[in-house]
Every structure is written in C-alpha cells, then in structure tokens.
Amino acid sequence: MTEHPSDHAPRRMYGGPFLTVRFDHRDTIRSVLAVDGELDVATAPLLVSAMSKVAAGGRRHLTVETGGLVFCDVAGARGLLAGQQRLTDHGLTMELANVPGAVRRTLDLTGLLDSFRLVPD
C-alpha cells in the first residue's frame, strides 16, 4: 500500500498488475474509489475489500469511478454488487461513474445493470 500525503484528501492505492484501486476522500461525507484495469474473478475480492474500507471510514457515500476499467467479467460484476450490498448494510449509498461500454454490457448481460445508480462523471 502506498500513501500519498495530503491534509484534506488522503489517497491510498491498492492493487497489482491487473487492477488498481485509488481512494480520494472528497470530504467527510463522500469518497471516490477509482478503479483501473481488469475486474474479474482474480481481482474482484480486492475491490470488495476496498469498498468495505469506506464503510469503516465513516463516510456516507461512495462513487466508484469505473472509467479506467478495460474488462469486467461476471465475477467482477458480482463483486461490485457485493461491495454495494456491504455499503448499503452500513447505511451508505453508492453510484458508478463513467461506466465504459464493455462494463455496461457485462452488467446488462448479467441482469445487474438496474442494480446500480449510474452517473456520467
């Protein structure tokens, strides 16, 4: 884990060669989690774990910035859903921002597209 110093918006980066997850705590209420790379059976647990940290951090809303995803399989889509459920269980809200066409297609084919609030940016 690499930490980038900042007084107002600490950033933490997690990941490996196929998926990178970066936090940006916008304020005391909202966090943005930027996801880049491939979201699949091997990397979905990393995403779910990172999403769970938001619930533990006291913030009330998470935006998952998916514009950097180049691939998402069924396990990745289920990981997004599992992470969202954990947040919901703790009273948080979540949205997906900048969902690429390939990710949107996976969500649609799995019947999960309507499970998420999608925003353009």
Side-chain angles (χ1 to χ4, degrees):
M1 175 170 71
T2 305
E3 293 192 16
H4 303 278
S6 172
D7 291 334
H8 302 335
R11 293 178 184 257
R12 291 189 181 98
M13 186 170 78
Y14 306 87
F18 302 109
L19 184 74
T20 302
V21 178
R22 293 180 318 277
F23 279 110
D24 181 359
H25 301 297
R26 296 287 165 98
D27 53 38
T28 59
I29 297 172
R30 298 174 296 149
S31 288
V32 174
L33 189 136
V35 186
D36 299 305
E38 300 177 9
L39 183 56
D40 57 23
V41 69
T43 59
L46 171 69
L47 177 64
V48 174
S49 175
M51 292 171 75
S52 295
K53 292 180 189 319
V54 174
R59 302 232 171 16
R60 305 308 307 158
H61 180 75
L62 174 66
T63 298
V64 180
E65 169 57 57
T66 61
L69 286 177
V70 296
F71 177 79
C72 179
D73 69 5
V74 174
R78 288 185 179 156
L80 283 168
L81 188 64
Q84 177 176 260
Q85 186 59 51
R86 285 187 183 180
L87 294 172
T88 301
D89 290 348
H90 287 92
L92 281 77
T93 57
M94 186 189 102
E95 64 192 9
L96 300 178
N98 295 319
V99 181
V103 175
R104 185 181 296 263
R105 180 162 166 75
T106 300
L107 294 174
D108 188 35
L109 290 172
T110 58
L112 297 177
L113 186 61
D114 292 334
S115 299
F116 299 100
R117 179 171 180 256
L118 306 179
V119 295
D121 58 20

